[in-house]
Amino acid sequence: MPATIQNRVRELRYQNDQMTQQALADELGVSRQTIIAIESGRYAPSLELALKIARHFGLTVEGVFELAE
């Protein structure tokens, strides 16, 4: 069975003054649909986007994303 990538993006948005998906998307230069797909686990972000997300929240990539086997 292939590994999946889990993330804390939704949780981190709520901890960050209940930031909207659109606000995060605007900060990162992606569409709201991209944020929705990442949060739902349907899309694994590129390394560049994963780093941008982690940096935005002041965390490491491992602080946001986890490989679940």
Side-chain angles (χ1 to χ4, degrees):
M1 182 150 116
T4 58
I5 297 176
Q6 297 176 334
N7 69 77
R8 298 178 51 216
V9 175
R10 181 177 286 127
E11 170 192 345
L12 293 167
R13 278 193 307 103
Y14 282 110
Q15 290 175 0
N16 191 18
D17 296 327
Q18 295 190 5
M19 175 181 237
T20 65
Q21 291 170 329
Q22 187 63 59
L24 180 58
D26 291 345
E27 287 283 328
L28 300 172
V30 299
S31 70
R32 179 173 167 261
Q33 287 74 24
T34 298
I35 301 302
I36 291 168
I38 291 169
E39 287 184 354
S40 68
R42 291 183 322 217
Y43 173 70
S46 66
L47 178 57
E48 178 184 0
L49 183 53
L51 288 165
K52 285 181 179 181
I53 292 169
R55 182 178 292 163
H56 176 80
F57 291 114
L59 298 169
T60 63
V61 172
E62 293 85 358
V64 180
F65 298 94
E66 178 182 350
L67 188 61
E69 300 182 42

